[in-house]
Amino acid sequence: LYGVSGSEYSPSRQLFTIDPVTAATTVIGTIGTIRTENVSDLSFAADGTLYGWTTRGGPLVTIGLADATRTAVGSA
């Protein structure tokens, strides 16, 4: 399982994994550092690609599951 900490108003948001048996979390990395760059929504595609939508109508991004790097797909 994957999750994101904080809200769009947080100074930074982190992507983390959640162990479904123990509920232990492991931080993968930061997926936004300021309000206008924070990822507000996450969704997996059928092929396993994790997509994120940045706050305030920013670009659609893919998010690396190993290091939380973001790659812009296109602008809104």
Side-chain angles (χ1 to χ4, degrees):
L1 301 172
Y2 290 85
V4 176
S5 64
S7 71
E8 76 173 276
Y9 298 101
S10 299
S12 67
R13 299 186 82 184
Q14 294 184 316
L15 179 69
F16 55 90
T17 59
I18 305 166
D19 183 307
V21 175
T22 66
T25 61
T26 302
V27 174
I28 296 172
T30 300
I31 59 172
T33 56
I34 60 174
R35 184 174 174 201
T36 57
E37 293 178 359
N38 276 331
V39 173
S40 59
D41 298 296
L42 296 175
S43 184
F44 278 96
D47 67 2
T49 302
L50 179 60
Y51 287 91
W53 185 258
T54 56
T55 57
R56 306 291 175 227
L60 176 68
V61 296
T62 58
I63 301 171
L65 297 177
D67 57 7
T69 55
R70 301 180 323 166
T71 303
V73 174
S75 295

